[in-house]
Amino acid sequence: MSVRHVSVGRQSIAVHDNGGEGIPLFLMTGFIGTASFWDPFVNALPSGCRVIRYDQRGCGASGAYDEPLEMEQLANDALAVISQLNLPKVHVIGHSMGACAAWIMAAKNPAVLRSSY
């Protein structure tokens, strides 16, 4: 699995991409979550699936963040990651506040989603 950083404005977001094939599965954690939250889930998937997950701003390997955080910003971060990785339509699974951010993401740019759970 590779980890790279993408920029969202002045913020650095750490993105974990397993490099698999097929339609990407894009995993969004809840508030102050890291990509490692999804480890048990990812380990249960068939090998070869492409899985992208990231550390929320200010968490894990993402850059520090000390400003008020709004749900729309979490959605914008996800859209920026998808855009900067040049991903085709993705399947999104969100946990807790990650699911709420996924709903906002779907409303802002439905063209990037194949499905959302």
Side-chain angles (χ1 to χ4, degrees):
M1 173 179 18
S2 68
V3 178
R4 65 180 274 198
H5 284 79
V6 299
S7 296
V8 181
R10 296 176 302 148
Q11 182 67 41
S12 174
I13 303 289
V15 179
H16 305 250
D17 184 346
N18 74 342
E21 306 217 0
I23 299 167
L25 179 59
F26 190 81
L27 305 176
M28 298 173 65
T29 65
F31 186 58
I32 64 169
T34 62
S36 64
F37 168 83
W38 294 104
D39 285 349
F41 178 79
V42 172
N43 292 337
L45 292 172
S47 64
C49 295
R50 184 164 186 198
V51 181
I52 294 103
R53 49 203 168 130
Y54 61 100
D55 297 339
Q56 295 282 2
R57 57 177 51 222
C59 300
S62 289
Y65 188 76
D66 60 1
E67 298 175 25
L69 187 59
E70 296 182 9
M71 194 66 66
E72 188 167 357
Q73 184 60 62
L74 297 177
N76 289 340
D77 289 348
L79 288 168
V81 169
I82 290 168
S83 174
Q84 290 185 42
L85 294 180
N86 296 315
L87 298 175
K89 285 187 169 195
V90 298
H91 294 293
V92 174
I93 298 177
H95 170 260
S96 189
M97 287 180 75
C100 296
W103 296 333
I104 294 169
M105 187 173 81
K108 292 180 78 136
N109 191 351
V112 302
L113 301 178
R114 183 168 297 271
S115 64
S116 179
Y117 302 95

